[in-house]
Amino acid sequence: MSVTRLITHSFRNLCSASVDLHGELNFIIGENGSGKSSVLEALFFIGHGKSFRTSRVDDIVCHDSKDFVVSIKDENNRQFGLSRDVSKGTTLIKIDGERHNRLSDLAQHIAIQIVTPESFKLFFGGPKERRRFVDLGMFHVKHSFPQQWKKFSRILKQRNACLKVCNNSSDWNSVFRYWTEQFCKSSVEVAEIRQEYVANLTIELDLWLAILLPNIESRVRVQYLQGWPLTSNLDDALANNKSREMNYGHSLYGAHKFDVKFLLDKRPIETQLSRGQQKLFLLALTFAQAKLIERVERVKPIVLIDDVGAELDNKSRSALSKALSSIKCQVVITAIERSVISPFLQQLSCEGDYDDVNDIPGKLVQQPVEYYKMFHVEHGEISEIYLNDSECKIQKV
């Protein structure tokens, strides 16, 4: 899907906003604290039911309000809405005017991929962050995965409960043996589908690295770690560590311990790349996952890129602009200054390479609006920037 209209009420400092977005490429310009990242947060929130900036949902509401609303309309005129009443602690989900009880009902229609300063947690935040990233893609690509993971989580909970009350009675051993058998079977099922997904993600990642980081593309390796040693099956790993598990009171091996590592010349990629290169790698990984989501034709992904100028020099932004021309989904990009997005506009305007947007023959502003939309945000108010042959006109929306 693509979002044609975003409506917010009392969301962060976007007190009341209605924005008509472009179906492919959108630029949002504004100073720090102006509200540009709040636009991305609103889109992310309706796709995930949570924020990428805070774990406390109630912090999102405007300071003088008791509730907030986020609503979108897609290219098929379908409407999706989510509201939160802070005073009552209740959340209301609506799809085409009908109430729904589960956030997953929204998520199956909206596939939001995002790159923000917080995305570097993928390297430094531990296995949990990488599991979250991979499983988010699998939710949309592997349609059986949500139910498989729900089943596994239930079995894991039961097995951990057994470990917490462990004793030597025959009844306990019988119950523990049953849940261990179910746990091993479910772990292997989840691991197999994850391994297939990671293999496809790796193939797609190589294609995007060839555009964004061609100098390292052939040296990158994606290491899949299933959650237990490759040298033994899960049954043996659990049997050999039974006493340790009883001491800890939880399962030490299984699909919940899955990890994926990104290596450059056999070393962790975050120790080998500059901050700018790390961001390009994150973008390549995000585009690779978006492409896999697009390929299953269940839902069209939306890519959000926050503060595109941070860590990226002009050459890197030029490489990113080439990548954006190949990704077939809606993209929303924020930047502090309009000069930061010059490489992207140059890509839209002409085939040559120019050092500055003002050097482009024929004037950039002659490009028709169907290529992209540009917005300016100030003090929570969003204005669309209209370009003509002689000047940039800003009109409040």
Side-chain angles (χ1 to χ4, degrees):
M1 71 173 291
S2 59
V3 176
T4 58
R5 175 168 292 180
L6 168 67
I7 299 172
T8 66
H9 175 71
S10 296
F11 189 95
R12 293 288 190 184
N13 60 341
L14 303 176
C15 293
S16 183
S18 177
V19 188
D20 293 327
L21 295 170
H22 191 280
E24 295 182 8
L25 187 56
N26 299 269
F27 299 102
I28 302 176
I29 314 299
E31 296 179 354
N32 289 329
S34 62
K36 62 183 186 300
S37 294
S38 298
V39 177
L40 300 192
E41 187 180 13
L43 291 168
F44 185 90
F45 190 87
I46 200 165
H48 295 265
K50 61 182 179 180
S51 166
F52 62 83
R53 301 166 75 182
T54 178
S55 59
R56 288 177 49 85
V57 176
D58 293 351
D59 289 345
I60 296 173
V61 68
C62 285
H63 66 277
D64 57 349
S65 300
K66 295 182 178 180
D67 58 13
F68 66 82
V69 178
V70 181
S71 176
I72 61 171
K73 182 182 291 186
D74 70 7
E75 74 276 18
N76 297 316
N77 211 33
R78 298 196 67 187
Q79 288 191 302
F80 305 87
L82 196 157
S83 61
R84 172 77 176 176
D85 190 316
V86 176
S87 60
K88 297 179 180 179
T90 57
T91 300
L92 177 63
I93 302 166
K94 282 191 175 183
I95 301 176
D96 292 330
E98 294 185 2
R99 290 192 177 190
H100 288 255
N101 297 320
R102 298 178 301 177
L103 288 170
S104 59
D105 293 338
L106 271 179
Q108 66 180 334
H109 296 284
I110 309 167
I112 300 288
Q113 300 288 296
I114 189 166
V115 177
T116 74
E118 289 80 14
S119 298
F120 289 93
K121 290 179 181 178
L122 196 70
F123 300 133
F124 304 104
K128 182 178 179 181
E129 296 295 329
R130 293 184 286 275
R131 283 196 291 269
R132 182 183 292 118
F133 176 84
V134 171
D135 288 353
L136 172 61
M138 290 186 64
F139 176 86
H140 293 286
V141 176
K142 299 292 186 180
H143 299 169
S144 63
F145 177 72
Q147 287 303 317
Q148 284 182 307
W149 183 249
K150 184 177 181 180
K151 175 185 174 182
F152 170 80
S153 298
R154 179 178 62 85
I155 294 172
L156 173 63
K157 184 177 180 180
Q158 294 292 338
R159 187 173 189 273
N160 284 345
C162 287
L163 288 169
K164 285 182 172 66
V165 295
C166 61
N167 56 60
N168 293 320
S169 68
S170 59
D171 287 343
W172 179 88
N173 277 298
S174 176
V175 172
F176 179 70
R177 186 163 51 249
Y178 170 80
W179 285 116
T180 297
E181 290 173 355
Q182 296 299 310
F183 177 77
C184 290
K185 180 181 178 181
S186 185
S187 277
V188 170
E189 290 174 352
V190 170
E192 286 177 348
I193 193 173
R194 268 192 180 136
Q195 187 172 20
E196 180 184 1
Y197 179 81
V198 171
N200 292 331
L201 183 66
T202 301
I203 294 171
E204 193 65 41
L205 175 62
D206 288 342
L207 301 177
W208 293 101
L209 287 176
I211 299 174
L212 292 168
L213 288 168
N215 293 335
I216 71 164
E217 179 261 328
S218 62
R219 299 156 53 199
V220 171
R221 178 182 168 226
V222 179
Q223 183 181 25
Y224 170 81
L225 303 173
Q226 61 185 359
W228 62 93
L230 291 174
T231 54
S232 64
N233 59 43
L234 181 55
D235 305 70
D236 292 338
L238 294 176
N240 293 334
N241 290 274
K242 184 177 179 180
S243 59
R244 289 182 61 221
E245 287 192 318
M246 289 180 174
N247 288 333
Y248 284 105
H250 61 262
S251 303
L252 298 178
Y253 298 99
H256 61 300
K257 294 295 186 178
F258 151 79
D259 194 7
V260 58
K261 293 185 178 180
F262 307 103
L263 307 176
L264 179 65
D265 298 331
K266 298 182 180 181
R267 297 180 180 180
I269 206 162
E270 63 271 19
T271 66
Q272 305 301 305
L273 299 183
S274 68
R275 188 78 169 178
Q277 288 175 314
Q278 289 175 28
K279 186 166 185 176
L280 288 175
F281 189 92
L282 287 169
L283 287 162
L285 193 60
T286 301
F287 290 165
Q289 183 148 281
K291 203 67 177 179
L292 293 182
I293 294 172
E294 176 200 341
R295 196 167 293 151
V296 299
E297 298 181 351
R298 184 187 184 189
V299 58
K300 187 177 179 181
I302 300 170
V303 175
L304 313 178
I305 304 174
D306 194 23
D307 197 4
V308 72
E311 290 98 15
L312 298 183
D313 57 21
N314 198 56
K315 182 179 179 181
S316 297
R317 294 197 295 270
S318 295
L320 176 56
S321 69
K322 293 178 182 178
L324 288 173
S325 66
S326 300
I327 192 81
K328 297 185 182 299
C329 65
Q330 188 176 34
V331 181
V332 185
I333 297 172
T334 69
I336 296 176
E337 298 176 345
R338 197 179 309 173
S339 60
V340 170
I341 64 172
S342 295
F344 307 101
L345 304 185
Q346 292 172 20
Q347 183 79 15
L348 292 168
S349 302
C350 58
E351 294 295 329
D353 292 324
Y354 298 90
D355 294 329
D356 187 82
V357 66
N358 296 319
D359 295 332
I360 298 173
K363 291 185 180 180
L364 165 70
V365 292
Q366 291 179 350
Q367 282 301 308
V369 72
E370 62 262 21
Y371 285 102
Y372 62 90
K373 280 189 176 183
M374 189 185 302
F375 303 90
H376 180 262
V377 183
E378 187 174 10
H379 303 308
E381 293 189 354
I382 307 172
S383 306
E384 184 171 350
I385 302 174
Y386 294 92
L387 305 175
N388 61 21
D389 288 341
S390 60
E391 62 180 347
C392 295
K393 294 183 178 180
I394 300 180
Q395 178 174 320
K396 185 177 178 180
V397 294

